[in-house]
Amino acid sequence: AQRVTQPEKLLSVFKGAPVELKCNYSYSGSPELFWYVQYSRQRLQLLLRHISRESIKGFTADLNKGETSFHLKKPFAQEEDSAMYYCALGYGQNFVFGPGTRLSVLP
Amino acid sequence: ETGVTQTPRHLVMGMTNKKSLKCEQHLGHNAMYWYKQSAKKPLELMFVYSLEERVENNSVPSRFSPECPNSSHLFLHLHTLQPEDSALYLCASSHVRGNEQFFGPGTRLTVL
């Protein structure tokens, strides 16, 4: 079965420090990868998708097919980035979410 | 209202009650989903509907019963729930099955 792994359940960094949220997937075809974010008391929402190659709120993610990874990065974390982050894989008619990483940005 | 809406936003029920959660999407999507979100399992897929037909049922207990009368509406009927069913229930939709999903705000369910 296709899988998405996020090895860290919780990641704590200090404000202004770089942050990297790891995501690995298992799929042999052409995947579509996404990052979703859920801020406290807000709905789960799409942060970015790999096909757009965009930067949202300072976050970027590059698809590395060789390493089957789609890590989310931001050079300088802000306190408002504290949230739950889910990596997701779309393949064919299926869509699977990873277990999520809770990012806590400390002042 | 645009996007995906869910009602009620909060629900408290006893173990012998029967209640229903409602989801409505105004995006013209053809696929709809129910998820359970709890501290134990952050995002657990329950049911998938595509063109009003149930295409996935992830070993969910029969005390949860979904209904999709049309492509815009999705219900989750609840009866004889257990306290461990207390969680945030999220509805989502996508243009077609497999595309990126758009989520509702969720229903916070507490079973006493």
Side-chain angles (χ1 to χ4, degrees):
Chain A
Q2 315 313 323
R3 291 183 61 208
V4 177
T5 57
Q6 295 178 249
E8 302 129 333
K9 283 186 74 172
L10 174 65
L11 181 64
S12 296
V13 301
F14 285 102
K15 176 182 171 182
V19 63
E20 182 180 51
L21 298 164
K22 291 185 167 52
C23 170
N24 287 88
Y25 66 92
S26 61
Y27 179 58
S28 57
S30 294
E32 291 190 52
L33 274 299
F34 306 84
W35 276 100
Y36 280 76
V37 62
Q38 188 174 30
Y39 301 103
S40 180
R41 296 190 182 87
Q42 292 189 31
R43 69 179 68 194
L44 192 58
Q45 57 188 291
L46 180 68
L47 179 62
L48 54 79
R49 53 176 79 87
H50 91 271
I51 57 173
S52 302
R53 300 187 64 82
E54 56 199 345
S55 173
I56 303 293
K57 299 185 178 182
F59 284 99
T60 58
D62 290 317
L63 177 60
N64 185 323
K65 289 189 178 181
E67 295 183 356
T68 59
S69 68
F70 188 57
H71 303 327
L72 184 67
K73 300 177 184 178
K74 185 169 182 177
F76 308 102
Q78 303 299 313
E79 289 183 69
E80 56 264 30
D81 296 327
S82 296
M84 191 75 178
Y85 290 81
Y86 293 94
C87 183
L89 165 69
Y91 60 101
Q93 290 192 338
N94 300 289
F95 202 91
V96 61
F97 285 88
T101 297
R102 182 166 298 283
L103 174 64
S104 177
V105 181
L106 307 171
Chain B
E1 191 173 346
T2 58
V4 182
T5 58
Q6 289 185 244
T7 54
R9 295 293 307 275
H10 300 271
L11 178 62
V12 179
M13 59 187 288
M15 289 192 285
T16 57
N17 291 160
K18 285 185 181 183
K19 296 285 184 184
S20 295
L21 309 185
K22 180 182 176 183
C23 175
E24 187 171 356
Q25 58 97 358
H26 309 267
L27 301 168
H29 289 167
N30 291 315
M32 296 187 79
Y33 311 78
W34 278 117
Y35 288 87
K36 177 182 177 182
Q37 189 176 46
S38 63
K40 212 172 178 181
K41 287 188 178 181
L43 201 58
E44 189 178 352
L45 180 64
M46 300 175 73
F47 300 105
V48 181
Y49 276 83
S50 178
L51 297 171
E52 300 144 50
E53 181 181 334
R54 192 192 310 181
V55 295
E56 199 163 333
N57 174 355
N58 283 355
S59 303
V60 179
S62 59
R63 56 186 185 269
F64 294 92
S65 174
E67 179 191 0
C68 188
N70 55 61
S71 60
S72 299
H73 293 85
L74 185 65
F75 294 89
L76 188 62
H77 303 301
L78 317 170
H79 66 99
T80 58
L81 294 192
Q82 305 297 312
E84 60 264 29
D85 297 322
S86 298
L88 183 67
Y89 288 84
L90 297 173
C91 174
S93 70
S94 63
H95 178 58
V96 293
R97 190 179 160 212
N99 279 185
E100 65 186 81
Q101 296 176 19
F102 294 78
F103 284 82
T107 294
R108 173 69 62 187
L109 174 67
T110 303
V111 182
L112 301 176

